[in-house]
């Protein structure tokens, strides 16, 4: 990075030094150095952490207006803002260079999602890495959760890796499995539980109902928010896949939402299954799903997750009168389920019975036993070499295999059986840094290019978030993977594979910072219709949209503006788009009056840039600047006063009006002139992405004010609403193209981009433009580039 920083030093003499000489040096030079702080001799190498920290303090003091002191001559706001912006950019470049610094060997820890995918492909075992008993959350940097220099390992991580290996191996190699060749494995412990409606309902009169012959006719009506506390399976004997089946009906009020079945594992903090249910009372359906569960007690919340009146008031409860059917009716004093015509008044479920069963196991040995468990000690070396090569994603050395074999022999000498002895070696493999990290480079040489095995791993974790498959291993083994024709063919094959959906989910999650959706849960009083399923659907729209662009090889322009989107029934109801049913996302055409199209009007993006109570134009503008234009604004001054509420005697004011008054501070005005126009365009959308024409304001007096979504860009171009704003972005598609390529490279290379990467990135952006900005063409160009194939 030396070349870039020497260039920065030249710029320093023009951009910053004159300002410092006029306003700073006379108090912070060799003679005075007030506060034991000198500015005149600060290193201009922003790569070094020490000088960078001091420059950050200088930037903060100027930005806040604290320096120069009020008694000294003051710079104008524009002059100060330019210095702050220049320093912020250099500090950002220095930070990127430090994070991306490459030694002879680079280590990139697998994310917990990548760990789980790799375990599944290596051993055929599902490991629920996000469960409380799984792995720790991954640290992020600017939204990206796979930056190698950020993903550290602590002693607690090591403990979790050891525990994870134990759980994985226990399922991959069951204790009851056959040890001798050809012997069939003992059947696994099975589990089954069925709960009829009368038991799900509970109540004191079950015996009376049985005596009357009515117990088998009892059903349970589930109001919005109603939980069935007796739906948990209890103790799960062994880890594995289990099936749940439930017979139920779902009734939807006219012009309302369908009831939503949610099966949530409380102690796993995981949604096992959810879907809207629509079925007549007299023609129920059976919903069934299969899910992977760990051994141990499982507490399940089985509920109707739909906003509406609950059954908690006495008038809503069933009381001693069991529910048989809507026609049978309810007590006169109870809330009614239907109107006079028998149409449902609320979205509710009617449950007949539910059952759990499992584990669902294949006949004979497991995949892992067939692939890696030898019949005797003589075959251990071959099996261990096979596992290690796949797990380490490279050829293994003889001494590495010998260490594993000696481990097995040591276990056998201590009295362990062969399968237990082999599992000790398998655990060593799963806990090795060679498996837990993507390792690039060699200690004994300064290698610049990736070898074929490293390239295969980088490509696989880029597009599949998992280890290479056999076809990629074969290409690496042959030494032909780096040939452009072979590499292009592999990219095309991998993007057609079902595993490419992981790229369509993981990359937009990082690029667009979708992890922030729901970080500030919307106020239930202000947004009563917001629920967990809507939040999930918001994120689902954005990832399904990206997948559609990828699979159809559409252009990057579609991300900025389009006449279509991807919705399910829940999100369609939120957007007031008609004619959509079901939980699956489907492509729908948008009418101009629906005011949607492109990523920027997705509810996910609009909500993550809000705070749970109101929209945040500045946050939205900052998000557009970072995610769409690839620019990072300087940090705000530390002492900015909060926005004051409007006095009760004054007319109600929009948040934009308050921000305009707030920007009278000259220390704020220069930066906000660049940020705010990028956010004001979306003022017609509230904190959860609903369209509106007036802003609901809690303070002040009079009518709620109308929304003003007009704005003017820094270059003078004007817009009157989000539609016109998006067209301005499309006109500047080259800026978005360059930003997108940089985000894609950051995701693929697992490091931040530095100033030394500018020329390669510019070349990729040029190739993308030549291919009409097609998404797949951009991915191919990146993989075929030197940037991707070098460390």
């Amino acid at each position: 990075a030396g070349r870039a920083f020497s260039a920065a030093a030249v710029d320093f003499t023009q951009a910053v030094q004159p300002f410092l000489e006029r306003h700073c040096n006379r108090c912070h030079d060799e003679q005075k150095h007030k506060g034991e702080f000198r500015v005149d001799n600060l290193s201009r190498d922003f790569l070094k952490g020490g000088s960078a920290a001091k420059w950050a303090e200088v930037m903060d003091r100027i930005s806040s207006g604290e320096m120069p002191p009020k008694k000294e001559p003051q710079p104008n706001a524009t002059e100060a803002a330019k210095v702050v912006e220049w320093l912020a950019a250099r500090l950002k470049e220095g930070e990127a260079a430090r994070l991306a610094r490459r030694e002879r060997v680079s280590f990139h820890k697998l994310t917990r999602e990548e760990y789980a995918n790799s375990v599944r492909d290596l051993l055929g075992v599902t490991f629920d890495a996000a469960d409380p008993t799984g792995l720790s959350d991954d640290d992020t940097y600017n939204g990206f959760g796979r930056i190698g220099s950020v993903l550290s390992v602590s002693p607690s991580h090591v403990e979790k890796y050891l525990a994870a290996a134990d759980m994985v191996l226990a399922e991959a190699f069951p204790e009851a499995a056959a040890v001798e060749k050809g012997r069939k494995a003992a059947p696994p412990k099975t589990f089954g539980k069925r709960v009829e409606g009368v038991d799900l309902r509970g109540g004191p009169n079950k015996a009376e109902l049985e005596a009357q012959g009515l117990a088998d006719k009892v059903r349970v009506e589930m109001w919005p928010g109603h939980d069935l506390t007796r739906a948990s399976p209890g103790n799960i004997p062994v880890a594995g896949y289990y099936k749940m089946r439930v017979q139920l009906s779902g009734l939807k009020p006219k012009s309302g939402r369908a009831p939503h079945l949610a099966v949530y594992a409380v102690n796993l903090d995981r949604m096992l299954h959810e879907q809207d249910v629509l079925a007549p009372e007299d023609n129920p359906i059976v919903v069934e799903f299969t899910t992977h569960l760990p051994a141990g007690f499982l507490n399940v919340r089985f509920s109707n997750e739909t906003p509406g009146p609950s059954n908690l008031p006495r008038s809503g409860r069933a009381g001693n009168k069991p529910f048989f059917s809507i026609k049978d009716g309810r007590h006169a004093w109870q809330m009614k389920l239907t109107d006079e015509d028998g149409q449902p008044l609320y979205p509710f479920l009617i449950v007949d019975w539910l059952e759990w069963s499992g584990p669902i196991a294949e006949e004979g040995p497991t995949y892992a036993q067939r692939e890696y468990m030898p019949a005797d000690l003589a075959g251990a070396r071959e099996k261990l070499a096979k596992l290690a090569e796949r797990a380490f994603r490279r050829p293994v050395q003889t001494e590495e295999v010998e260490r594993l074999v000696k481990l097995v022999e040591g276990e056998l000498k201590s009295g362990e059986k062969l399968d237990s002895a082999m599992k000790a070696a398998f655990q060593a493999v799963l806990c090795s840094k060679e498996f837990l990290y993507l390792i690039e480079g060699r200690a004994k040489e300064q290698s610049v290019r990736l070898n074929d095995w490293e390239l295969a791993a980088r490509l696989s974790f880029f597009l599949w978030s998992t280890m290479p498959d056999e076809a990629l291993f074969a290409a690496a083994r042959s030494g032909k993977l780096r040939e452009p024709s072979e590499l292009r063919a592999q990219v095309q094959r991998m993007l057609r594979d079902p595993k490419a959906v992981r790229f369509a989910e993981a990359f937009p999650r990082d690029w667009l910072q979708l992890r922030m959706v729901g970080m500030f849960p919307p106020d239930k009083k202000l947004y009563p219709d917001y629920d967990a399923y809507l939040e999930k659907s918001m994120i689902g729209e954005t990832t399904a949209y990206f997948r559609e662009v990828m699979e159809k090889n559409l252009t990057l322009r579609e991300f900025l503006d389009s006449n279509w989107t991807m919705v399910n029934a829940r999100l369609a109801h939120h957007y007031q788009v008609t004619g959509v049913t079901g939980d699956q996302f489907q492509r729908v055409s948008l009418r101009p009056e629906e005011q949607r199209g492109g990523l920027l009007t997705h509810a996910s993006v609009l909500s993550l840039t809000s705070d749970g109570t109101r929209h945040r134009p500045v946050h939205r503008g900052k998000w557009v600047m970072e995610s769409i234009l690839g620019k990072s604004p300087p940090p705000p001054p530390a002492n900015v006063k909060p926005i004051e509420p409007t006095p009760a005697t004054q007319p109600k004011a929009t948040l934009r009006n308050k921000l305009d008054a707030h920007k009278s501070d000259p220390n704020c005005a220069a930066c906000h002139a660049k940020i705010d126009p990028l956010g004001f365009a979306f003022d017609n959308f509230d904190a959860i992405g609903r369209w509106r024409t007036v802003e609901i304001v809690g303070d002040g007096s009079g009518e709620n004010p109308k929304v003003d979504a007009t704005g003017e860009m820094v270059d003078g171009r004007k817009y009157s609403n989000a539609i016109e704003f998006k067209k301005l972005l499309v006109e500047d598609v080259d800026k978005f193209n360059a930003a997108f390529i940089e985000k894609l490279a950051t995701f693929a290379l697992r490091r931040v981009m530095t100033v030394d990467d500018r020329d390669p990135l510019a070349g990729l952006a040029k190739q993308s433009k030549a291919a009409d900005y097609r998404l797949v063409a951009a991915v191919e160009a990146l993989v075929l580039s030197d940037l991707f194939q070098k460390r």
Side-chain angles (χ1 to χ4, degrees), residues 559-580:
F559 292 134
L560 300 177
D561 194 18
S562 69
N563 61 358
W564 61 275
T565 192
M566 305 290 291
V567 295
N568 59 5
R570 179 68 186 93
L571 198 62
H573 183 272
H574 184 65
Y575 287 166
Q576 298 184 348
V577 173
T578 59
V580 179

Side-chain angles (χ1 to χ4, degrees), residues 91-132:
L91 289 169
K92 198 73 175 177
E93 290 171 356
E95 179 185 39
R98 291 191 296 276
L99 286 171
R101 181 182 288 155
R102 294 181 288 281
E103 307 296 339
R104 288 181 182 270
V105 181
S106 301
F107 295 88
H108 302 282
K109 185 167 78 79
L110 302 188
T111 66
R112 66 180 186 180
E113 178 183 1
E114 292 169 333
Y115 176 93
N117 291 337
S118 296
V119 163
R120 185 182 297 112
D121 291 340
L122 181 65
L123 296 170
V125 172
T126 296
F127 175 67
D128 304 306
D131 286 351

Side-chain angles (χ1 to χ4, degrees), residues 375-432:
D376 49 40
L377 181 59
R381 183 174 282 99
E382 177 187 351
K383 294 293 187 179
L384 288 171
K386 181 178 183 180
L387 175 69
E389 179 174 293
R390 290 179 177 177
F392 298 168
R393 303 171 289 271
R394 60 166 175 78
V396 289
Q397 304 299 316
T398 302
E399 55 269 24
E400 291 176 309
V401 178
E402 287 305 315
R403 282 199 298 270
L404 295 172
V405 172
K406 287 180 180 179
L407 180 58
V408 173
E409 291 173 342
E411 291 289 306
L412 290 173
K413 288 179 181 179
S414 66
E416 294 290 341
K417 294 182 179 180
L418 179 62
D419 61 340
S420 296
M422 289 293 294
K423 284 169 68 173
F426 296 155
Q427 186 180 56
V429 171
L430 291 184
C431 294
S432 167

Side-chain angles (χ1 to χ4, degrees), residues 27 42 127 151 165 170 190 228 250 257 260 271 291 316 350-351 391 480 576 666 676 703 709 773 791:
C27 293
L42 278 183
F127 175 67
L151 296 178
T190 57
L228 287 184
R257 282 179 51 187
H260 188 72
M271 186 67 72
T291 185
I350 302 174
V351 181
K480 296 181 179 180
Q576 298 184 348
D676 292 0
E703 296 183 353
Y773 310 102
R791 294 184 53 245

Side-chain angles (χ1 to χ4, degrees), residues 25 43 108 266 344 350 361 480 485 547 565 573 576 585 634 779:
N25 286 355
S43 169
H108 302 282
V266 177
I350 302 174
K480 296 181 179 180
S485 59
R547 184 178 181 181
T565 192
H573 183 272
Q576 298 184 348
F585 284 89
V779 172

Side-chain angles (χ1 to χ4, degrees), residues 390 452-453 456-457 459-460 464 467-481 486-487 489-491 493-494 496-497 499:
R390 290 179 177 177
D452 283 65
W453 293 88
L459 179 58
S460 183
W464 285 349
M467 58 181 281
D469 65 354
E470 189 51 43
L472 265 180
F473 277 141
R477 199 175 290 116
S478 69
K480 296 181 179 180
L481 182 58
E486 176 65 22
L487 200 51
Q490 290 290 348
V491 171
R493 177 185 71 87
M494 294 174 72
R496 291 192 300 267
D497 191 280
K499 290 197 288 282

